């Protein structure tokens, strides 16, 4: 298992390019199961999560070829597999997005209940409710969702939950409804840019989806889709992380290949904290000196402030002038980074689904442990601003959502080194892709 060694106290300066959005790439990759011919996807980030999804698609009968670092060709060569095995699905929650296309195109889907980051309870009941409304017969057996349907039919579906809409649930139901007879209307649909990107991809392939980007989707079913070329949108969470990194280190960073239109709430939050953000087409720049102003944040479903920047914002507020309250209405348990920030000298305490942060004069280096993907980024940001050299352990979480982060930090002048953690538990290196091999479908991980 690797760890990151970070020397603090160096302002970040320079230009960095944002990779493709993980949360857009994963459901779009799953959608290719339902498209005949050869689909080309561009700007696909090389991450642990995308590697896991490609391994899963290979098991499900797809042939995948990498034409360049971030471009893929995907083609179904065997339509008989319908089991998404636990060993792959447990690694990331978005694997459950294969449920919709498998059900719609192969009539049966057996998908393990998903895993992912440990950030609280995240059931998939809304996914199953939506698919059942379309006519699927669904049961849970031995930790697997077993879904069958001879013919899906359009329906009116409400996807609102106790904490708002579900992005992956909206994607899953959309992927099935594209092939349902008649009209499907989804109320309380997620309207995140990543959901919009999936809808745009499907429409380019021949789907008839309208209302994407709003809370009401209308989908007119079609018989089949066609192969297309599609470029994944930039990762707005990575872009936000770089902007916060510039602010917390009092640096000057230009972020390229960003989409400011997808980041309105994030940019507004930075400006409320006294951090100037310049926009120029697809680039953003933060040149900041001094400290940020204390500024409360409440994470909400889109178009609110994303929960995926809550941890990074908490790190910034640890060095802000005055007190702030950071609240997460999406994942109330997503505050495990708070205890690690205390080890670095932060003044922070948790009360329910909020943390109260009093900005301190300085943070000091410490050995800390990441609990999830965004907590990893938050601890690295704190380490970049702290006095001394910190170590961040369990950074395999980082590999799930940030492409070459340590390398990009180095180009901005950070002193960061990724090394083997000899004291930590034995781990597994980033999986090496082998999508060109013939998948072994003889193994039966699930017996219905």
């Amino acid at each position: 298992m690797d760890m990151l060694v970070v020397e603090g106290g160096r302002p970040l300066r320079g230009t960095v390019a944002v990779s493709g959005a993980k949360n857009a790439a994963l459901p779009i990759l799953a959608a290719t199961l339902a498209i005949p011919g050869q689909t080309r996807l561009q700007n696909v980030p090389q991450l642990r999560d995308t590697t896991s999804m490609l391994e899963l698609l290979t098991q499900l009968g797809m042939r995948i070829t990498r034409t360049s670092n971030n471009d893929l060709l995907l083609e179904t060569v065997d339509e008989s597999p319908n089991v998404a095995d636990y060993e792959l699905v447990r690694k990331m929650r978005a694997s459950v997005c294969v449920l919709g296309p498998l059900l719609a195109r192969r009539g049966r889907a057996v998908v393990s209940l998903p895993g992912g980051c440990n950030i609280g309870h995240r059931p998939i009941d809304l996914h199953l409710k939506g698919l059942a409304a379309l006519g699927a017969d669904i049961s849970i057996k031995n930790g697997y969702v077993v879904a069958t349907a001879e013919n899906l039919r359009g329906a009116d579906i409400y996807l609102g939950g106790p904490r708002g809409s579900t992005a992956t649930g909206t994607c899953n139901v959309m992927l099935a409804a594209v092939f349902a007879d008649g009209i499907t209307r989804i109320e309380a649909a997620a309207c995140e840019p990543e959901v919009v990107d999936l809808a745009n991809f499907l429409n380019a392939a021949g789907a008839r989806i309208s209302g994407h980007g709003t809370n009401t989707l209308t989908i007119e079913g079609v018989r089949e889709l066609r192969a297309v070329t599609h470029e994944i949108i930039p990762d707005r969470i990575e872009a936000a992380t770089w902007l916060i990194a510039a602010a917390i280190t009092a640096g000057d960073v230009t972020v390229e290949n960003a989409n400011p239109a997808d980041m309105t709430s994030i940019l507004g939050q930075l400006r409320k904290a006294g951090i100037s953000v310049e926009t120029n087409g697809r680039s953003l720049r933060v040149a900041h000196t001094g400290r940020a102003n204390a500024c409360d944040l409440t994470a909400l479903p889109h178009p609110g402030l994303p929960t995926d920047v809550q941890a990074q914002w908490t790190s910034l507020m640890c060095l802000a002038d005055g007190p702030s309250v950071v609240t997460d209405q999406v994942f109330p348990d997503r505050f495990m980074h708070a205890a690690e920030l205390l080890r670095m000298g932060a003044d922070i305490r948790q009360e329910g689904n909020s943390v109260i942060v009093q900005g301190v004069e300085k943070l000091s280096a410490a050995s800390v442990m990441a609990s999830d993907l965004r907590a990893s980024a938050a601890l690295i940001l704190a380490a970049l601003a702290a006095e001394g050299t910190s170590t961040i352990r369990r950074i395999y979480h980082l590999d799930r959502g940030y492409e070459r982060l340590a390398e990009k930090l180095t180009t901005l002048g950070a002193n960061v080194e990724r090394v083997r953690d000899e004291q930590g538990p034995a781990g597994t290196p980033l999986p090496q892709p082998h999508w060109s091999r013939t998948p072994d479908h003889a193994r039966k991980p699930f017996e219905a």
Side-chain angles (χ1 to χ4, degrees):
M1 187 177 296
D2 288 351
M3 65 181 184
L4 217 58
V5 181
V6 180
E7 180 189 338
R10 294 186 176 205
L12 299 185
R13 301 188 186 281
T15 300
V16 64
V18 173
S19 299
K22 171 182 82 84
N23 291 336
L26 294 174
I28 290 174
L29 285 168
T32 62
L33 280 166
I35 299 177
Q38 195 171 75
T39 296
R40 179 185 293 272
L41 294 182
Q42 301 169 328
N43 202 32
V44 180
Q46 294 190 58
L47 305 167
R48 184 181 291 270
D49 274 12
T50 52
T51 296
S52 295
M53 179 62 85
L54 294 171
E55 294 282 359
L56 177 57
L57 295 180
T58 300
Q59 283 194 0
L60 292 172
M62 297 198 72
R63 179 169 57 219
I64 302 165
T65 306
R66 188 177 294 280
T67 58
S68 64
N69 285 343
N70 299 101
D71 289 3
L72 301 172
L73 295 176
L74 304 100
E75 181 178 14
T76 298
V77 294
D78 183 357
E79 292 189 349
S80 61
N82 55 34
V83 177
D85 189 14
Y86 167 77
E87 287 303 320
L88 285 172
V89 178
R90 70 180 177 85
K91 297 178 182 179
M92 60 161 185
R93 181 174 176 79
S95 299
V96 77
C97 284
V98 302
L99 185 59
L102 282 178
L103 178 66
R105 301 310 292 166
R106 302 185 188 182
R108 186 171 188 266
V110 181
V111 180
S112 172
L113 292 170
C117 277
N118 181 22
I119 57 175
H121 186 48
R122 296 189 289 171
I124 63 166
D125 56 319
L126 293 175
H127 300 233
L128 305 185
K129 170 188 170 183
L131 295 174
L134 293 172
D137 180 23
I138 296 174
S139 62
I140 307 293
K141 183 177 180 181
N142 300 332
Y144 283 76
V145 176
V146 182
T148 58
E150 290 186 5
N151 188 46
L152 297 176
R153 58 186 182 276
D156 291 338
I157 301 169
Y158 179 75
L159 287 184
R163 300 189 195 120
S165 54
T166 163
T168 53
T170 300
C171 291
N172 226 341
V173 177
M174 187 194 310
L175 286 167
V178 161
F179 297 102
D181 290 339
I183 304 293
T184 298
R185 293 180 181 85
I186 303 177
E187 297 288 345
C191 51
E192 278 82 355
E194 296 80 13
V195 177
V196 174
D197 200 29
L198 172 63
N200 287 336
F201 167 72
L202 292 171
N203 279 344
R208 297 172 182 171
I209 303 169
S210 60
H212 40 302
T214 75
N215 293 122
T216 302
L217 287 176
T218 302
I219 305 168
E220 181 182 349
V222 299
R223 291 298 177 189
E224 66 176 30
L225 301 178
R226 59 180 178 273
V228 293
T229 297
H230 180 79
E231 182 176 349
I232 304 297
I233 61 172
D235 194 317
R236 62 195 171 107
I237 306 304
E238 183 192 350
T241 302
W242 291 121
L243 298 177
I244 296 172
I248 200 171
T249 64
D252 184 348
V253 175
T254 297
V255 180
E256 295 184 335
N257 190 37
N259 187 357
D262 290 342
M263 300 176 62
T264 302
S265 63
I266 298 169
L267 301 184
Q269 184 73 12
L270 286 165
R271 289 167 178 144
K272 282 173 61 179
I275 299 161
S276 175
V277 185
E278 299 176 13
T279 61
N280 183 13
R282 289 173 61 89
S283 73
L284 298 161
R285 180 189 177 199
V286 163
H288 187 70
T289 57
R291 297 159 65 88
N293 300 329
C295 184
D296 295 347
L297 177 144
T298 299
L300 296 164
H302 194 79
L305 288 154
T307 179
D308 281 350
V309 300
Q310 175 261 108
Q312 301 93 308
W313 189 262
T314 301
S315 292
L316 178 63
M317 291 298 97
C318 287
L319 289 170
D321 279 330
S324 59
V325 179
V326 180
T327 302
D328 200 322
Q329 299 282 25
V330 181
F331 295 121
D333 299 324
R334 197 177 197 173
F335 285 105
M336 285 184 282
H337 49 282
E340 299 302 297
L341 290 170
L342 280 172
R343 295 173 54 80
M344 304 182 75
D347 184 348
I348 183 172
R349 72 180 190 276
Q350 184 173 356
E351 293 186 3
N353 66 336
S354 300
V355 289
I356 293 87
V357 187
Q358 174 65 52
V360 297
E361 185 64 29
K362 63 180 180 180
L363 296 175
S364 52
S367 179
V368 294
M369 187 173 294
S371 58
D372 60 75
L373 168 55
R374 304 307 172 185
S376 303
L379 296 176
I380 291 169
L381 295 182
L384 288 167
E387 291 186 352
T389 300
S390 300
T391 56
I392 297 97
R393 289 188 157 86
R394 295 180 68 183
I395 61 165
Y396 59 84
H397 293 292
L398 196 72
D399 296 327
R400 293 189 52 240
Y402 289 95
E403 184 178 37
R404 300 181 292 107
L405 185 121
E407 178 184 327
K408 291 180 178 181
L409 280 170
T410 300
T411 65
L412 295 176
N415 188 353
V416 176
E417 186 178 7
R418 183 169 179 149
V419 299
R420 185 75 178 171
D421 183 2
E422 300 298 341
Q423 297 179 1
T428 303
L430 188 64
Q432 296 301 308
H434 48 86
W435 316 307
S436 59
R437 68 170 172 79
T438 301
D440 179 9
H441 301 310
R443 185 168 67 94
K444 300 293 184 183
F446 177 89
E447 295 291 342

